[in-house]
Amino acid sequence: MPLGRSTSLDRVFEVFGRDQAERPLSHIGSIVAPNQELAVARARILYSERPWVELCVAPAESFMNCLQQGRDGRVGLA
Amino acid sequence: MSYPAAVSQALESELLCLADSNWVLGHWYINCILNGRELTDFTSMAGIAEEKLGHARALFRFMEEHYELPEYQLEFARPADQVHGMELLDAPPGNWADFVLTLYLADKALWRFADTLRTGGFAPVANLVTKFGEEAYFHQLCIDGWLKALDEGERGDLAAALRGRLPPVFRWFHSPAPDPLLEAGIRTEPLAHAKDRFAADVQDLIESVPEGSSASSTALAQGVDPTDWDAQRRRPQGSVLPPRLWESMTPTSEAAKLARRPLAVSIDDNIDLFGKVKKDDTEPQF
C-alpha cells in the first residue's frame, strides 16, 4: 500500500475547542480520518497547541446549514 | 512510607519493567514515523512517542528520588543487559499490520500491568500510573482506529504477525509466587489476573483474525522455563535488546551526543546503579 493514501473510507470531522470555561465552544478546524477512533486521537494530538478545557469532534455530515441550501455537511466560510 | 528491602527491590524491578517498556515503545513510534499512512499519522506517532518517553522519564525521575539514585543514569548510563524492556518489542515490525498489532498488544499489556499498581497502596506510583492511563486511553484509541482501517491484504498480514507476537506478550506476565508487591499491598491483584484481563481485552481482535484463536491457545499454553527466565527483567535469562534498537535509544555517535540536551551531571562514571550508590550532595555541581 503506497504512503499518503486517501481512501474512500476517509471522512471529514469538524473539531471544536474551548480554552477557558467561560468562553464559548469554537470551531477550530477539521480532521480527515477513516473512523471515529482515529478522528478523536488525531484531533487530540494535532490541536494540542492550547490546554483545552473541552475538545470534541463531530462528523461533518451531521451539520445542516440553516442559512443556505446545498451547504449541509460544511462548517466554516470556505 | 518505607517497605522492607525485598519489597523495595521488587518494586524497583517492576517500575523498570514499566518504564523501560514505555521507553522502547516510544522509540518504536519514532523509528517508524515515516511508515505512517497519512500526514496526520506522522503527527500522531510523534505525539504518542513524546508521551511514551514522558511516562518513562517520569518513572526514571521518580526512581532517582525514591531510591536516591544518581541523576540521569537510568536513562543514559545503563548497558543493554540491564534494561527491562518487553521481549515483545525486540523483533522489528515486518509490515504495517505487524507494527499496529505489536503496538496494540504492548499498550494493552502495559496498561493491565500498570493498573495493578494504580489501585495499590503506594500513592506516588498509583498517582503516576493514573495519569499515564489518561494519556494511554488516547494512544489505544489511535491504535484501535489503525486496526479498524486495515484493508483485506493487511488483515492477512495480521494473522501471520499474531502467531509470532502473542507468545512473548503472554510470557511477559509470568510472575513467580509469592509476589512481594501483592503481599505489601502495592499491587491489589496478582499479575495472573492482569494477564486474564489482558487476554479478555484482546480476545475480540484475536477471534476476528483467521486461526487467531488457535494461535492464542498455543501461546497461552506455552509456559515459561523458570531456569531460563529472568523474573526481575521479565525476559529470557541473559537476553539483551537488539543492538540497532538499542543504538537508536542511546546513540553513541559523537554528533548524536553533541545534539543531546546538556546534563547537569556526568554520565561517564559508569556507576553501578544496582549497588545503590548514594548521591553525594556535598560534591560541587556544574
Side-chain angles (χ1 to χ4, degrees):
Chain A
M1 182 66 68
L3 289 178
R5 67 175 176 180
S6 183
T7 70
S8 56
L9 295 172
D10 280 349
R11 295 160 67 196
V12 177
F13 292 81
E14 301 298 343
V15 187
F16 298 84
R18 188 198 307 270
D19 58 359
Q20 289 178 29
E22 64 274 17
R23 289 197 179 159
L25 191 64
S26 307
H27 182 235
I28 56 172
S30 307
I31 282 282
V32 175
N35 52 52
Q36 191 175 305
E37 288 86 347
L38 274 177
V40 172
R42 285 173 177 179
R44 178 181 170 271
I45 291 164
L46 204 63
Y47 292 97
S48 59
E49 76 274 12
R50 289 187 205 177
W52 303 105
V53 295
E54 187 176 5
L55 187 69
C56 49
V57 299
E61 67 261 22
S62 66
F63 290 90
M64 287 170 283
N65 196 299
C66 304
L67 295 178
Q68 287 175 285
Q69 278 188 338
R71 286 186 62 87
D72 286 353
R74 296 173 71 180
V75 174
L77 298 177
Chain B
M1 187 184 292
S2 71
Y3 291 102
V7 174
S8 192
Q9 207 168 11
L11 178 63
E12 184 181 18
S13 297
E14 295 293 67
L15 291 180
L16 277 178
C17 286
L18 196 56
D20 288 347
S21 298
N22 272 302
W23 189 26
V24 177
L25 195 52
H27 282 86
W28 260 60
Y29 281 101
I30 292 168
N31 292 339
C32 296
I33 277 181
L34 294 179
N35 291 294
R37 291 301 164 84
E38 297 174 23
L39 187 59
T40 36
D41 283 345
F42 302 167
T43 327
S44 304
M45 287 157 86
I48 297 174
E50 180 192 345
E51 290 181 347
K52 292 293 180 205
L53 296 186
H55 296 176
R57 286 176 179 152
L59 283 166
F60 289 155
R61 297 296 96 80
F62 166 75
M63 292 175 74
E64 286 164 2
E65 287 284 321
H66 184 72
Y67 291 103
E68 298 186 354
L69 298 173
E71 287 172 299
Y72 300 115
Q73 301 276 328
L74 284 173
E75 183 170 354
F76 295 112
R78 270 186 301 165
D81 63 2
Q82 281 185 12
V83 173
H84 295 216
M86 279 175 140
E87 183 194 0
L88 167 72
L89 300 172
D90 282 1
N95 48 51
W96 176 251
D98 184 21
F99 174 64
V100 177
L101 171 74
T102 311
L103 299 179
Y104 176 84
L105 295 173
D107 223 287
K108 295 260 185 221
L110 279 171
W111 173 243
R112 283 301 171 198
F113 182 89
D115 197 35
T116 63
L117 302 169
R118 182 183 62 86
T119 46
F122 190 36
V125 169
N127 293 341
L128 272 175
V129 163
T130 303
K131 180 65 184 158
F132 297 167
E134 288 168 9
E135 294 178 347
Y137 167 79
F138 291 98
H139 305 166
Q140 289 179 13
L141 208 56
C142 193
I143 298 166
D144 287 346
W146 280 329
L147 277 171
K148 249 188 183 178
L150 292 180
D151 63 25
E152 209 49 49
E154 287 166 335
R155 291 200 71 77
D157 295 338
L158 198 62
L162 202 61
R163 280 190 290 278
R165 297 290 179 183
L166 279 178
V169 74
F170 281 133
R171 259 199 306 273
W172 188 67
F173 284 96
H174 174 76
S175 240
D179 179 350
L181 299 192
L182 191 61
E183 290 176 349
I186 296 175
R187 175 173 275 150
T188 46
E189 62 173 3
L191 273 186
H193 291 188
K195 182 181 174 182
D196 293 342
R197 288 178 196 274
F198 166 75
D201 288 342
V202 299
Q203 190 176 5
D204 283 352
L205 174 77
I206 287 171
E207 286 176 356
S208 74
V209 171
E211 296 176 34
S213 298
S214 70
S216 172
S217 310
T218 313
L220 271 169
Q222 285 178 10
V224 166
D225 174 4
T227 59
D228 188 35
W229 186 251
D230 183 343
Q232 289 192 324
R233 295 198 303 141
R234 301 189 168 278
R235 298 174 56 88
Q237 197 76 257
S239 64
V240 292
L241 261 57
R244 284 182 64 185
L245 175 63
W246 182 236
E247 175 64 25
S248 76
M249 292 167 62
T250 53
T252 50
S253 79
E254 278 310 307
K257 280 185 184 172
L258 284 172
R260 267 186 195 161
R261 185 178 52 190
L263 300 176
V265 291
S266 165
I267 55 161
D268 296 329
D269 300 332
N270 197 23
I271 295 169
D272 178 10
L273 286 172
F274 299 95
K276 297 289 175 298
V277 176
K278 301 278 185 198
K279 278 190 290 191
D280 182 358
D281 293 331
T282 61
E283 281 219 343
Q285 303 271 320
F286 56 87

